[in-house]
Each structure stands twice: as structure tokens, then as C-alpha cells.
Amino acid sequence: MHAVIVVVHPAAVSLTRSVATALGDALEAKGHTVEIADLVAERFVPVFGAADHAAFAAGAPAPADVLQEQRRLDRADHLILVYPVYWWSMPALLKGWIDRVFISGWAFEENAGGGIAKKLGRLTVHLVAIAGAADRTYTKRGYRQAMRIQIEEGIFDFCGAPVATSQLLTTDGADPVLLLQRAAQALLEKLM
């Protein structure tokens, strides 16, 4: 099994990066191959620009960087997104990556009858959102339901990619080592 772990965090040292690394190490220890896609270090441009719009509206070829990301995902069995929660969602860089990469023709396609053909059923998704507030804050505001509707259903179900695990790791007063262990355990249980 090959996993692509997409990590998004601006700091070189962060809990987000530590979780991504720990997940990768745990998977490799079980004999899986792992590729880390560090969108910050790779300087991925998240802006849906003129070339992206031309590909969407006029059927022009997708930009080279988008095709490169799609090829990376074509090699993967599992996609693992590890990201901090910003304003009750994912960081703009990750959202821009999804906007540009998960495009019509590759991730989904509208058929002649107006229905949607989901094209990513072969790719299993795992979400690891890391939140800097107390669990009660996110529970009170219904964040887990929002995450399910917006990300799990709105993005991945739309493309046919099943979400096998979806974790919201809250850090308020939590031991970072326990967070790493909890994230790795939940993921490994679904992959074994």
C-alpha cells in the first residue's frame, strides 16, 4: 500500500508536522510506502488562476503543477491530510490545492444527463485536523458535523473517494505524545 501524506503548516517545527511524520513512520514500520507532500516546503501555488479556469471552462490542459499532483495521487492507495484548523476550516493553501487538483475530468465528471461520475473510488482518504482549542469548544459549535458535511461529503464523497478516518485532535491541555499516538492508532486500525 502506498500513502501520500499532505501536510500544511507554515512553521518548520509544529505539532502538525510531528503528527504527519509520526503517521509516516508508523506506516513505514508496517511495510507501507509513504510520500510526504509538504505543500509549504514545495511552494505549491494555491491560487485558482487563469490557466486553471481555462482548463475548467474551455477544456484546456491542466497546468503542469496540477498534473504533477494528480500523478502523485494516481500512485497512491491512501491520501492522508494533516492540517491545523484555521477559522473552523482547513488552511487556504490546502483548500487551494484541492480546488486546483481535484478538477473535473480527473476527480469527477458531469455526464450528458447532468449527473456526476465520481472518479476517485480507488483512493481512500484519512483526515487529521489539529485544533488549538478545547474539545468542548468544537463540540458546542458542531464542528465535527461541519467537517463531515463540508470536507468529507462536500469534497471527497463528491469525487467518490471514501473517507475511512476523520479525526479532530484538540490540543488544549493535551499531551502531544498522546495526540500522536491517538492519530497513528486510528489510522493504522483502518489500514490493517
Side-chain angles (χ1 to χ4, degrees):
M1 184 221 53
H2 180 66
V4 172
I5 300 176
V6 177
V7 62
V8 179
H9 199 286
V13 177
S14 67
L15 180 58
T16 301
R17 289 177 186 278
S18 296
V19 168
T21 299
L23 291 174
D25 292 347
L27 290 171
E28 287 177 340
K30 296 289 185 181
H32 303 294
T33 58
V34 175
E35 181 178 355
I36 302 285
D38 184 338
L39 299 183
V40 173
E42 294 176 5
R43 299 181 186 270
F44 183 81
V45 176
V47 177
F48 192 89
D52 300 290
H53 187 264
F56 170 75
D65 61 336
V66 169
L67 294 173
Q68 179 179 324
E69 294 300 310
Q70 290 172 345
R71 285 191 296 272
R72 180 181 352 217
L73 294 175
D74 285 340
R75 295 188 300 269
D77 302 296
H78 293 270
L79 169 62
I80 304 165
L81 303 181
V82 183
Y83 59 93
V85 175
Y86 286 178
W87 288 104
W88 298 78
S89 188
M90 60 182 62
L93 177 56
L94 182 55
K95 179 61 168 66
W97 180 80
I98 291 168
D99 288 347
R100 294 191 64 218
V101 175
F102 286 70
I103 57 175
S104 178
W106 180 78
F108 64 92
E109 199 160 53
E110 188 173 350
N111 60 35
I116 299 296
K118 301 176 180 195
K119 299 182 82 172
L120 295 182
R122 62 173 173 66
L123 185 66
T124 302
V125 176
H126 306 270
L127 304 171
V128 183
I130 302 172
D135 188 62
R136 67 183 175 279
T137 300
Y138 291 93
T139 300
K140 178 182 176 182
R141 304 285 185 218
Y143 182 75
R144 283 182 175 81
Q145 180 183 8
M147 187 173 163
R148 182 183 53 76
I149 293 168
Q150 178 189 10
I151 300 171
E152 294 175 36
E153 294 177 13
I155 297 170
F156 296 110
D157 182 60
F158 186 81
C159 300
V163 176
T165 60
S166 181
Q167 301 179 67
L168 175 65
L169 303 179
T170 55
T171 60
D172 184 49
D175 179 351
V177 173
L178 291 177
L179 287 174
L180 294 172
Q181 291 171 344
R182 189 171 60 182
Q185 180 181 358
L187 182 65
L188 290 173
E189 285 174 2
K190 289 292 185 178
L191 296 177
M192 296 302 135

